[in-house]
């Protein structure tokens, strides 16, 4: 049991499935709230100070939630990616039953990650396992741009990270590669984090993370 959130309550509501997303989490520093989801039909909003679940927002989908991201400025809007490729936008100010305010179905495969940039121009970026990376404007029904991050390599996109202040993003693949792009879709480079005898093409890059201010990437 965590001292902040009684996760045992959440875990009892997990939905059995052949492919699980596990626990999906997004922290809202400004409001002191945590968004928690995963293999469940609801997104739980926890207040860290009171250790109370303040809201249960229906996910409006039978698929698992694979990723969460939120507006860190106002903290009311958050976005969820789903296992069936859908992306849903929710507004916490609405009644939980009507909190879903937009849905996009442009992705056709499992959403690896969605990320709303906290600085810069606050881009919303999503990536699916087939290598499609899309940039979104919350006001529009269609993506602003689509990047084919895998090219013709046939690799699977296993991770997606976006720099918080610079217009760049990086993806990790199941072929032990990291590919970086700018938000215009221009490739910036392809490299392998480990080379030589330690390298293994069977080792996927499953996690990447940018430094919040510097142009450094961990993977």
């Amino acid at each position: 049991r965590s001292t902040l959130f009684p996760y045992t309550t959440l875990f009892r509501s997990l939905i059995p499935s052949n492919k699980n997303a596990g626990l999906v989490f997004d922290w809202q520093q400004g409001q002191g709230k945590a968004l928690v989801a995963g293999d469940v039909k609801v997104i739980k909003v926890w207040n860290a100070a009171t250790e109370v679940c303040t809201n249960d927002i229906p996910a409006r989908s039978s698929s698992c939630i694979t990723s969460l991201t939120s507006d860190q400025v106002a903290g009311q809007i958050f976005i969820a990616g789903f296992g069936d490729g859908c992306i849903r936008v929710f507004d916490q100010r609405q009644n939980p039953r009507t909190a879903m305010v937009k849905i996009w179905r442009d992705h056709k495969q499992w959403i690896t990650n969605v990320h709303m940039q906290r600085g810069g121009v606050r881009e919303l970026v999503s990536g699916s396992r087939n290598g499609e990376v899309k940039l979104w404007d919350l006001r529009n029904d269609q993506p602003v741009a689509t990047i084919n991050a895998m090219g013709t390599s046939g690799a699977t996109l296993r991770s997606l990270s976006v720099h918080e202040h610079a217009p760049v993003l990086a993806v990790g693949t199941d072929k032990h590669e990291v590919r970086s792009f700018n938000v215009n879709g221009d490739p910036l480079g392809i490299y392998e984090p480990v080379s030589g005898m330690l390298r293994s093409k069977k080792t996927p890059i499953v996690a990447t993370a940018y430094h919040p201010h510097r142009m450094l990437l961990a993977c």
Side-chain angles (χ1 to χ4, degrees):
R1 176 185 169 92
S2 168
T3 57
L4 288 180
F5 310 109
Y7 285 138
T8 51
T9 302
L10 173 65
F11 288 149
R12 291 196 189 103
S13 60
L14 293 181
I15 302 169
S17 99
N18 293 329
K19 189 175 183 181
N20 298 328
L23 178 68
V24 179
F25 182 93
D26 186 64
W27 171 249
Q28 293 183 326
Q29 179 69 32
Q31 292 199 359
K33 293 180 179 179
L35 303 172
V36 185
D39 303 316
V40 290
K41 292 184 178 180
V42 297
I43 301 157
K44 292 180 176 288
V45 182
W46 292 92
N47 186 306
T50 61
E51 301 185 19
V52 171
C53 179
T54 60
N55 216 349
D56 280 346
I57 300 176
R60 304 281 296 273
S61 173
S62 59
S63 294
C64 60
I65 298 170
T66 62
S67 54
L68 287 168
T69 187
S70 59
D71 177 11
Q72 295 293 316
V73 178
Q76 302 296 345
I77 301 296
F78 68 88
I79 297 94
F82 290 79
D84 60 359
C86 287
I87 299 172
R88 289 175 168 83
V89 182
F90 298 86
D91 189 340
Q92 294 187 61
R93 295 167 294 188
Q94 304 289 332
N95 183 289
R97 292 175 296 177
T98 59
M100 191 191 79
V101 295
K102 185 178 284 291
I103 180 172
W104 293 304
R105 293 187 172 92
D106 294 65
H107 285 289
K108 304 304 179 185
Q109 289 192 15
W110 179 284
I111 300 297
T112 300
N113 196 18
V114 288
H115 185 91
M116 180 176 286
Q117 195 181 40
R118 288 161 173 77
V121 293
R122 290 168 64 191
E123 298 278 5
L124 173 65
V125 184
S126 63
S128 56
R129 289 179 67 87
N130 63 354
E132 283 190 345
V133 176
K134 296 181 182 289
L135 279 69
W136 304 90
D137 184 325
L138 295 183
R139 300 166 295 182
N140 297 341
D141 294 329
Q142 300 296 326
V144 175
T146 299
I147 302 170
N148 180 13
M150 298 298 103
T152 59
S153 68
T156 299
L157 190 151
R158 295 294 302 272
S159 71
L160 167 68
S161 296
V162 184
H163 198 284
E164 299 295 9
H165 300 282
V168 295
L169 59 95
V171 299
T173 78
D174 64 340
K175 294 188 176 182
H176 200 78
E177 292 178 336
V178 174
R179 297 171 175 240
S180 59
F181 302 84
N182 62 26
V183 294
N184 294 323
D186 302 319
L188 302 179
I190 302 175
Y191 55 93
E192 298 182 11
V194 179
S195 59
M197 294 181 64
L198 296 178
R199 183 184 64 184
S200 172
K201 287 292 186 180
K202 296 181 180 180
T203 306
I205 305 298
V206 297
T208 51
Y210 277 105
H211 188 282
H213 302 290
R214 300 178 181 178
M215 290 301 292
L216 298 172
L217 177 70
C219 54

